[in-house]
Every structure is written in structure tokens, then in C-alpha cells.
Amino acid sequence: QVTLVESGGGSVQAGGSLTLSCAASTDNTYIQYDIAWFRQAPGKEREGVASVSRHGSTAYANSVKGRFTISRENGKNTALLLMNSLKLEDTAMYYCAADLWVGQEPLNDRMYKFWGQGTQVTVSS
């Protein structure tokens, strides 16, 4: 069983920055998980934002490339999402997700079994 806890959401003006944190608690601390961030805005489908594999490989949605950076602590199931140059359209509920192996589709939400409760990010003008 994996429990994911997100933190770091909040309100920020356009152009500002926020850092989200995802901490995964597991029964076996030696097992590493692939971790990703997804977001869902009101009336829109959930979309993949960024992912980091247990080996450190990263993937990003085109809409956030160059602005967001995902990283993880070595040997830990903790991932950070640094969000710079935030835009109004980045406003959404952000969810952390994890699974043992997501293969070639790291931004596909159907590949993830474990999900956090979400943290709200609001960008205002």
C-alpha cells in the first residue's frame, strides 16, 4: 500500500513561482516508484504535467516545458515540482500519482494505481 501526501499549493500572481511536494509512504522503503503530477481544472479532463521515473528519467507536457521542473530525492519516494512563470491557465487541482512501473506512457493517468488527495494551485492576474 502506498499513501501519497501533496503539499505546497496556494495562490500566486501570474509570472510567479510555486513548488509542490509529493511524499510517498510505503510499507517497504526499499521499493522505488515512478511518480508523476497531474492536474485538473474545472470542466476539463485530467492531464499529465510531469513525471520522474525511479531511475530519474523525466517527462513533461508541452504546455509546461521550460517552465516546470520535476525532481526526486535520491533513494526516496519524494518528488518536487518547481513551477516557474506561472500562467492563468495553470490554475487547477494538482494530484500526485505513483506506481511501480509506468512504461512508455508516464503521463497517462491510467498507468497509475496510487493517488494523492490533491493540492490547489490558483494563478491570478
Side-chain angles (χ1 to χ4, degrees), residues 35-101:
I35 301 174
W37 284 96
F38 292 82
R39 66 186 181 187
Q40 188 167 22
K44 295 187 176 182
E45 293 186 354
R46 186 164 56 191
E47 64 170 342
V49 176
S51 68
V52 58
S53 75
R54 61 195 185 281
H55 302 301
S57 298
T58 59
Y60 295 91
N62 288 334
S63 59
V64 306
K65 281 182 181 177
R67 300 189 297 122
F68 291 11
T69 303
I70 190 169
S71 62
R72 69 185 298 157
E73 296 183 42
N74 289 336
K76 295 184 179 180
N77 288 310
T78 301
L80 299 177
L81 183 67
L82 171 60
M83 304 185 294
N84 292 323
S85 303
L86 283 162
K87 303 177 180 180
L88 297 179
E89 52 264 40
D90 294 319
T91 295
M93 184 70 78
Y94 283 69
Y95 298 91
C96 178
D99 212 314
L100 280 174
W101 183 71

